[in-house]
Amino acid sequence: MTGAQIIVLATPVFLLSIAIEYTVGVRRGRNTYRLNDMLNSVGLGIMSQLVGVYGALISVAVYTLAFEHVTLWKLPSTSAWVWIAGLVVYDFCYYWRHRLGHTVALFWAAHVVHHQSEDYNLSTALRQTSSGWIGDWLFYLPMALLGFPPLVFAVVTLVDLLYQFWVHTQQIGKLGWFDRWFCAPSNHRVHHAVNDKYLDKNYGGILLIWDRLFRSHIAEDDAEPCVYGTRGPLRSWNPLWANAHHYADLAKDSWRTRRWSDKLRVWFMPPGWRPADVAACWPKPPFDITTVQRYDPPMSRRAHWLAAALFVLLLGGTALFLWNAHLLALPQQLFCVGGLLTGLWCVGRISEPRVRMAAAESAAADPTRDAAQAAAPR
Ligand SMILES: [Zn+2]
Ligand SMILES: [Zn+2]
């Protein structure tokens, strides 16, 4: 069974959990869902799975090559401790992958997708990048060198990912000692917050002990409510742009700066760093948490129904495709992926009917808008 097929089997559980969380939230008077945001988050999860059919090939191929040719020794996949140790070593590698995903601009350009939602609920967990395959494989090479078989790597990857689903909720409060040892709703809310106090903390996937060891842990403070999203908000429901926008920002800064060393540094400095000449000519206002407004363009009732109906069709189509992808020839696969991605783009367009028109009007009225657009450093 492929990883994509396991995700297909898990999808009803994801959707049922989302329905339960929504119902609990409504009953408590603390609903954390908006339809447009949820469709966008789950849509990005679908896109990530579609692209992942090919992206995973790169990760697994590189891992297998390293395991076959440069490993120090080979551990047996028949031993239970190999699986347990494999999960711990994977979680350690995940911690560093995640930490560098927040502190190196190139890796943040991929990981930012998971943080773009300005809501925080179980659908946020499904919001995953489609470009992780560019650099993720690098962080797991130590695991291959230590001799963990590719099968162990593939399974613990899935376990670590699936574990993190339940922590994306505001309906579960603090859990005492559990919060200090494991990734949990309280400490992961902090991870998704843009408050100064919380920024770039709590990277752990399953174990939080890595954060305590490497001094990136902070507990949720009831006096400082989390504000979710990123400091350079996406303000779009276009799933393709969600994956591309930070790369585009970096490419723009790299193109504009005059110094050759800065053209390269743009990609490897912490997110938000900009060459002095670019920052002087194209300034961005500093982030101010008091001005944060969630992106929520108005939708008619008809648009709500249309977006939801199209989305359900795409969800069914994706499940069918992921289940049968290995039976299709490459041109057929690409045709299906192209059709499904176009459908997801349409859901985004239906969810923001007047935004593009309004943006065009305001750009025509104010030609300096691009230089001063309201985007903070990250
Ligand atoms: Zn993160
Ligand atoms: Zn998360």
Side-chain angles (χ1 to χ4, degrees):
M1 183 170 283
T2 65
Q5 286 177 324
I6 293 171
I7 295 291
V8 171
L9 290 178
T11 299
V13 180
F14 294 149
L15 298 179
L16 183 65
S17 306
I18 286 172
I20 292 171
E21 189 195 23
Y22 171 73
T23 310
V24 169
V26 169
R27 287 202 173 164
R28 288 177 172 174
R30 286 193 283 125
N31 174 34
T32 57
Y33 279 91
R34 292 176 296 153
L35 181 76
N36 44 17
D37 176 83
M38 188 197 72
L39 294 186
N40 191 239
S41 285
V42 183
L44 280 157
I46 289 177
M47 185 173 165
S48 154
Q49 285 300 315
L50 292 171
V51 177
V53 168
Y54 310 96
L57 295 179
I58 295 174
S59 299
V60 172
V62 172
Y63 189 95
T64 307
L65 266 177
F67 177 77
E68 292 296 340
H69 300 290
V70 282
T71 188
L72 301 171
W73 50 74
K74 291 186 178 177
L75 299 171
S77 59
T78 47
S79 165
W81 75 263
V82 170
W83 288 86
I84 295 164
L87 186 58
V88 175
V89 173
Y90 177 91
D91 204 54
F92 175 78
C93 297
Y94 175 89
Y95 171 87
W96 285 106
R97 190 209 89 179
H98 195 184
R99 185 162 176 161
L100 267 68
H102 279 255
T103 50
V104 176
L106 176 63
F107 297 138
W108 173 246
H111 184 57
V112 67
V113 176
H114 180 59
H115 285 267
Q116 287 158 343
S117 173
E118 291 157 332
D119 293 337
Y120 187 78
N121 52 49
L122 290 175
S123 76
T124 314
L126 304 180
R127 187 181 186 104
Q128 297 289 335
T129 181
S130 295
S131 62
W133 53 271
I134 292 175
D136 280 2
W137 55 270
L138 192 66
F139 296 95
Y140 300 109
L141 284 182
M143 220 181 135
L145 299 185
L146 286 173
F148 290 96
L151 177 67
V152 175
F153 169 67
V155 172
V156 297
T157 298
L158 208 57
V159 170
D160 217 279
L161 183 69
L162 291 176
Y163 171 83
Q164 292 175 44
F165 176 68
W166 77 282
V167 304
H168 293 83
T169 180
Q170 297 181 58
Q171 303 301 341
I172 298 176
K174 292 183 177 174
L175 299 174
W177 65 270
F178 192 86
D179 288 334
R180 291 190 292 279
W181 291 93
F182 295 95
C183 179
S186 173
N187 55 49
H188 202 66
R189 283 195 285 274
V190 165
H191 178 68
H192 276 256
V194 289
N195 313 50
D196 284 342
K197 179 175 182 174
Y198 295 150
L199 202 64
D200 296 341
K201 295 285 190 297
N202 300 354
Y203 298 109
I206 293 181
L207 297 170
L208 208 76
I209 50 172
W210 313 124
D211 286 290
R212 291 166 66 195
L213 268 175
F214 301 113
R215 300 179 183 280
S216 54
H217 170 248
I218 192 167
E220 187 179 26
D221 179 354
D222 294 334
E224 173 102 23
C226 295
V227 176
Y228 301 106
T230 64
R231 291 189 165 197
L234 175 64
R235 303 196 75 73
S236 164
W237 298 133
N238 180 341
L240 304 173
W241 182 236
N243 274 287
H245 90 107
H246 200 67
Y247 291 107
D249 283 351
L250 294 177
K252 214 190 283 178
D253 281 358
S254 183
W255 175 260
R256 284 170 169 170
T257 188
R258 277 191 223 117
R259 289 179 59 173
W260 282 97
S261 58
D262 282 347
K263 286 183 185 297
L264 198 64
R265 287 175 79 199
V266 162
W267 300 90
F268 297 99
M269 290 298 279
W273 180 87
R274 302 181 78 208
D277 56 345
V278 176
C281 291
W282 292 275
K284 292 181 178 179
F287 176 71
D288 178 357
I289 202 164
T290 61
T291 62
V292 170
Q293 274 192 324
R294 286 190 304 181
Y295 181 66
D296 199 15
M299 278 174 85
S300 66
R301 186 173 285 270
R302 192 163 153 267
H304 267 111
W305 280 106
L306 193 60
L310 177 56
F311 191 80
V312 170
L313 281 176
L314 291 168
L315 200 60
T318 302
L320 264 176
F321 170 74
L322 291 177
W323 196 262
N324 297 298
H326 62 288
L327 303 175
L328 302 175
L330 187 63
Q332 293 170 315
Q333 290 181 5
L334 295 179
F335 179 77
C336 293
V337 170
L340 290 164
L341 291 182
T342 307
L344 291 173
W345 176 79
C346 289
V347 172
R349 284 302 295 256
I350 296 167
S351 303
E352 47 189 7
R354 295 181 210 105
V355 173
R356 206 162 282 268
M357 208 184 299
E361 281 168 10
S362 85
D366 178 9
T368 62
R369 190 185 69 90
D370 182 49
Q373 63 177 296
R378 53 164 296 195

